[in-house]
Every structure is written in C-alpha cells, then in structure tokens.
Amino acid sequence: GLTGVPVSFTGQQLYSPQTLATTAGGNAQVSTCGVGGFGYTSEAPNFSVNLTGMEGYGRLEIEGVSGCDTTLLVRTPDGRFHYDDDSNGNLLPLLNLSSSAMLNGRLDIWVGTFGGNTCPASIELETWLN
C-alpha cells in the first residue's frame, strides 16, 4: 500500500509529546474505508510511524491540533483501523490506543478534514503509563 512520511519513535521518546506538522484533508472519502467515519484525507497516509518499545506503556495518545474541523484515521500494525472526529473538543480529534507489543511496527496516520477542505494541522503523539 501507499506509505506516508516515514517517522520512527520509541515508546520512551513518546513519553515526551512529539509533534508532527502536516496538511489535513484530501480527495479520498473516509466513509469508503468501512470504519464508520466521515471526512476526507489524502490517499496515502500523512505519516507512517515505525514504533518500537511500546510494550512498556499503557496507552498511546494521538491528538489533532488545527484551526479547522479535522479527523484522524489510524491503522495499527495489526491492520485495524481507528477513527475519531471530535473527541478532543473544538472540532479536533483524539485517539487513545491501548499500548502493548501489538503497537510495535508500522502505524499509519491520516489527518483528514470533515468538510473536504485542506488546512495546516499537526498531530501530537504521547505515551502514558496508564
């Protein structure tokens, strides 16, 4: 499949929040992915994150920050999709993924917009012990 900008993090590095800047939105409809979500993203993920050492942490938090209504679509290394639209408040997305050795590997992240526009956005990744 398509890959995004390659980034690598260890669970320990993510214990301090790491921010990645990108452009949200695109021409691909999230509703066609079968994840129960809506919005528009690029065909390729914004980021393909290689994760290691995740088994020492309770969860991985992925937070969207933007001036527009953004969405998050994440494919974990086990091939499962996770979607969020507004859990971070102010039309911003937030995903909390249970962390374990299952998160080691390639995590694909699409940063979309709900309405199909594009806008500057960033995502913040952070691990937590609980």
Side-chain angles (χ1 to χ4, degrees):
L2 298 167
T3 56
V5 175
V7 190
S8 293
F9 290 118
T10 65
Q12 185 176 12
Q13 285 175 309
L14 292 174
Y15 197 61
S16 298
Q18 303 291 328
T19 300
L20 302 170
T22 190
T23 298
N27 297 320
Q29 291 193 37
V30 173
S31 57
T32 61
C33 295
V35 294
F38 297 96
Y40 298 84
T41 66
S42 54
E43 291 278 342
N46 297 70
F47 300 102
S48 292
V49 184
N50 182 51
L51 294 173
T52 53
M54 297 300 289
E55 60 280 353
Y57 298 88
R59 64 185 163 101
L60 171 66
E61 185 179 88
I62 306 171
E63 188 177 274
V65 181
S66 173
C68 69
D69 187 352
T70 46
T71 63
L72 270 178
L73 179 66
V74 172
R75 181 171 54 209
T76 46
D78 61 8
R80 293 178 55 198
F81 282 92
H82 306 264
Y83 170 86
D84 188 70
D85 183 11
D86 294 336
S87 294
N88 203 24
N90 296 320
L91 305 177
L92 298 176
L94 173 70
L95 279 171
N96 272 295
L97 305 175
S98 297
S99 181
S100 68
M102 300 252 319
L103 275 187
N104 289 330
R106 179 174 145 189
L107 183 87
D108 287 324
I109 303 174
W110 288 263
V111 185
T113 57
F114 194 80
N117 54 319
T118 59
C119 68
S122 61
I123 54 168
E124 185 181 283
L125 293 89
E126 186 175 5
T127 50
W128 300 80
L129 294 176
N130 58 353

